[in-house]
């Protein structure tokens, strides 16, 4: 059993300096953080939408309890309201994707493609090689 990838897959390409590997490592960390931020936006979107749909039950129950004025107040003031002025939660996700996430992801891919020949995670690959126990079945490539 071979537990090492070919050298071309685990080492930095010829001519790529340590500083470049460090810079690319920092550059690939940042998109991981934007992915987390984006996930929080999706969570915000889904939770806000869920709360809005839960208002359906509240309005129905208010009506059944003969609180028509309060049911209309909930409908008028809160039901379907923009969570942020001029935006429903999905529009925040769209704005983030268009304004920040997609350009960010594109530039990261372009820059990694230039000095590293498109090889992602050179820094992490080096760390894996340094930290694994050669021959251990759970430390294989």
């Amino acid at each position: 059993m071979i537990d090492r990838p070919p050298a071309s897959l685990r080492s930095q390409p010829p001519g790529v300096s340590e500083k470049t590997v460090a810079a690319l490592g920092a550059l690939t960390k940042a998109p991981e953080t934007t992915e987390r931020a984006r996930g929080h936006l999706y969570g915000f979107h889904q939770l806000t939408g869920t709360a809005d749909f839960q208002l359906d039950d509240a309005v129905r129950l208010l009506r059944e309890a003969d609180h028509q004025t309060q049911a209309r107040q909930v409908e008028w003031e809160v039901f379907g309201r923009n969570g942020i002025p001029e935006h429903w939660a999905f529009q925040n996700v769209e704005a983030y994707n268009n304004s920040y996430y997609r350009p960010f992801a594109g530039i990261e891919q372009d820059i990694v493609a230039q000095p590293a020949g498109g090889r992602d995670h050179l820094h992490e690959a080096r760390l894996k090689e340094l930290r694994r126990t050669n021959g251990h079945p759970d430390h294989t490539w």
Side-chain angles (χ1 to χ4, degrees):
M1 177 171 110
I2 298 173
D3 75 345
R4 305 192 120 201
S8 63
L9 294 180
R10 62 181 159 77
S11 63
Q12 63 200 51
V16 175
S17 71
E18 294 298 317
K19 286 185 178 183
T20 298
V21 171
L24 294 175
L27 184 63
T28 58
K29 268 187 175 181
E32 293 171 6
T33 304
T34 64
E35 289 288 352
R36 291 179 59 208
R38 192 168 173 238
H40 288 292
L41 276 176
Y42 274 99
F44 170 75
H45 160 51
Q46 291 171 352
L47 289 169
T48 301
T50 297
D52 197 62
F53 283 119
Q54 289 169 340
L55 289 175
D56 291 335
D57 287 336
V59 167
R60 179 183 52 78
L61 291 168
L62 284 167
R63 284 203 169 104
E64 288 174 7
D66 203 27
H67 297 290
Q68 306 307 319
T69 301
Q70 291 82 1
R72 283 191 300 280
Q73 184 179 4
V74 170
E75 287 177 325
W76 177 257
E77 293 293 335
V78 184
F79 189 78
R81 187 182 185 105
N82 291 332
I84 293 174
E86 301 179 16
H87 290 85
W88 262 24
F90 80 90
Q91 292 170 303
N92 297 308
V93 174
E94 287 179 349
Y96 183 81
N97 284 343
N98 293 331
S99 178
Y100 192 76
Y101 175 76
R102 287 186 187 110
F104 194 113
I107 196 75
E108 187 261 344
Q109 288 175 351
D110 290 347
I111 290 173
V112 168
Q114 294 165 15
R119 296 232 345 260
D120 286 335
H121 298 103
L122 289 175
H123 177 71
E124 289 86 347
R126 178 185 301 124
L127 288 176
K128 179 175 182 171
E129 181 64 18
L130 291 171
R131 297 182 63 82
R132 68 189 200 87
T133 303
N134 198 16
H136 189 289
D138 292 327
H139 291 224
T140 60
W141 272 91

